[in-house]
Amino acid sequence: MEQEPPSPEAIEDAPPRTDPEVRLVTQELLKTGMIDLSEKSEIYQAAIRHQTTIEQALEPLDLSLTIDEQRGIMIVSVRADESEDPDDNWNHPLIRRQRLTLEQSLLLAILRQYYVVQELELGTGIETIKMPIDILIDQMFKYLPDSGSDSKNERKILTLIEKLKTHGVVSEPDKNQEITIRPLISHLASPSTLKALLEQLRTLAASETRLDNEQ
């Protein structure tokens, strides 16, 4: 049995559709959690034009929009519950959706620390900040147990980079064995959270070293 088409009266009473640009931007934010001006300039500019409407669309979902014009990024973040400690959770919904392992969190902390230092030296909003893989490996194995094999250590870090890459904070290594740290990393977690993580890992590393020396 064929379905009858809607009557003209029903069409007139139907609620108006959301502006196509607002739908496009909102769907992109819910899908990826961010918009990067350097990668999706048209969507970014549409978000700027409809910022208030988009924020109203996100509010019932307990999400908010943060725009970092200096770095050319915007992110959707989970509104903090007043009953919770804001340092207990990652702010970015992609990170909230998939908890990071301790090693991935360590990688994130070191990348963010390096990014912030480079911004202080070179200025906020610079297009690319790159970190050599060998420097990253040296930093990571101040906290992780050394396998004794340079190739194994490198494979371990490259695997962690590959997993963290899906969150949009870092690129895969280029031909010069450097990774690009993306501006989103500056918004992922509070400095106090990352500092506490590094202190915890430093304590664990010192404890393991002491036990090895006692054996």
Side-chain angles (χ1 to χ4, degrees):
M1 182 176 180
E2 294 185 2
Q3 186 176 4
E4 295 184 1
S7 65
E9 293 80 7
I11 294 176
E12 290 179 1
D13 292 339
R17 292 295 306 275
T18 305
D19 182 288
E21 283 192 337
V22 174
R23 289 206 310 272
L24 176 64
V25 173
T26 305
Q27 289 168 3
E28 181 68 23
L29 287 169
L30 293 176
K31 180 174 69 174
T32 66
M34 65 165 293
I35 298 173
D36 190 324
L37 173 61
S38 65
E39 296 180 351
K40 299 181 179 179
S41 61
E42 292 185 3
I43 298 179
Y44 183 95
Q45 296 301 336
I48 295 294
R49 288 194 295 272
H50 300 285
Q51 180 180 348
T52 300
T53 304
I54 292 166
E55 288 174 340
Q56 292 172 346
L58 294 173
E59 195 279 333
L61 304 176
D62 281 337
L63 300 174
S64 61
L65 182 65
T66 300
I67 299 178
D68 185 340
E69 295 187 12
Q70 283 187 303
R71 298 182 178 92
I73 59 171
M74 56 181 63
I75 64 171
V76 58
S77 56
V78 178
R79 290 181 181 274
D81 188 328
E82 294 181 357
S83 64
E84 295 178 353
D85 182 347
D87 287 345
D88 283 345
N89 296 303
W90 299 109
N91 290 325
H92 194 266
L94 293 180
I95 303 298
R96 289 284 294 272
R97 246 177 256 158
Q98 180 179 347
R99 284 291 185 177
L100 298 180
T101 65
L102 185 62
E103 292 179 346
Q104 290 169 337
S105 298
L106 171 62
L107 176 58
L108 178 67
I110 290 174
L111 291 172
R112 189 183 190 280
Q113 187 178 59
Y114 186 87
Y115 185 92
V116 170
V117 170
Q118 293 299 305
E119 274 202 332
L120 289 174
E121 293 182 358
L122 304 174
T124 302
I126 60 176
E127 292 188 3
T128 56
I129 290 181
K130 294 192 174 186
M131 183 176 190
I133 292 292
D134 57 351
I135 292 179
L136 179 57
I137 292 173
D138 289 342
Q139 291 294 315
M140 288 287 289
F141 283 97
K142 288 180 180 178
Y143 307 96
L144 299 178
D146 194 327
S147 69
S149 166
D150 290 343
S151 60
K152 287 184 179 180
N153 290 346
E154 182 176 353
R155 281 199 302 273
K156 183 179 185 66
I157 300 308
L158 291 177
T159 299
L160 290 173
I161 290 172
E162 184 66 25
K163 292 180 179 178
L164 200 61
K165 189 178 69 174
T166 61
H167 295 295
V169 296
V170 66
S171 73
E172 61 185 17
D174 60 20
K175 61 182 180 181
N176 297 318
Q177 286 299 291
E178 294 179 327
I179 55 173
T180 298
I181 308 174
R182 306 199 184 282
L184 175 64
I185 201 167
S186 62
H187 292 273
L188 279 186
S190 67
S192 59
T193 300
L194 298 177
K195 182 179 179 181
L197 170 65
L198 291 176
E199 288 299 328
Q200 177 187 2
L201 288 167
R202 188 176 287 114
T203 300
L204 290 173
S207 176
E208 289 183 359
T209 300
R210 186 174 61 255
L211 289 174
D212 289 341
N213 292 335
E214 291 174 355
Q215 291 178 354

